[in-house]
Amino acid sequence: MAGVRDRVREFALSLPEAAEKHPWGEDVAKVRGKIFVFLGGTTPTITVKLVESHPHALSVDGAAPTGYGLGKAGWVTVPVPGLPAATLRDWVEESYRVVAPKRLVAELDARGGRRSPNEPPATRLRTRSPSPP
């Protein structure tokens, strides 16, 4: 899983003014001092702040609202294994867009976001089985 984590990290750090920091012994990507993604170290997870994709991310097996009260603010922790890298990058970009100043989001839009014409869209994710009635 280190390969996927490394690709997600590399993508996060390619966003305008993104920087890697290590608060509390965690690997995070920040923009203007605000965290937009936690990159799980020993456990292969990412933690992102989502608005549009929040319900979708929570439907992934093993996903959960982030602890320490962050889940109430839209943060979700999702496991990396089994998820397409494109989906993880989509969530990192969404988290960036939620946290970053509007000027930097406009800069990202001006350079065309992350998708290249040859990159396939994110694929359908494995989700939890429906709860019995």
Side-chain angles (χ1 to χ4, degrees):
M1 274 318 112
V4 173
R5 180 193 182 280
D6 290 343
R7 287 193 305 267
V8 170
R9 177 187 162 277
E10 186 177 302
F11 169 71
L13 296 176
S14 75
L15 298 170
E17 293 189 27
E20 185 173 27
K21 300 293 180 183
H22 307 282
W24 317 289
E26 300 268 349
D27 295 335
V28 303
K30 290 184 170 189
V31 58
R32 296 264 174 105
K34 294 182 178 183
I35 296 172
F36 66 93
V37 62
F38 290 84
L39 298 160
T42 56
T43 306
T45 62
I46 64 166
T47 299
V48 285
K49 186 171 186 175
L50 301 174
V51 176
E52 289 181 28
S53 303
H54 192 264
H56 186 231
L58 283 175
S59 73
V60 172
D61 288 333
T66 306
Y68 306 105
L70 292 173
K72 293 178 184 175
W75 288 87
V76 61
T77 301
V78 295
V80 170
L83 292 177
T87 299
L88 297 169
R89 288 189 306 262
D90 284 346
W91 290 342
V92 168
E93 183 174 326
E94 181 178 340
S95 186
Y96 176 89
R97 289 173 178 279
V98 170
V99 172
K102 290 178 184 179
R103 182 184 68 75
L104 294 179
V105 172
E107 183 180 324
L108 179 62
D109 289 340
R111 66 183 198 188
R114 76 163 177 82
R115 287 210 186 277
S116 69
N118 298 326
E119 187 172 356
T123 57
R124 182 164 167 72
L125 302 176
R126 58 192 166 96
T127 58
R128 293 186 179 118
S129 301
S131 300

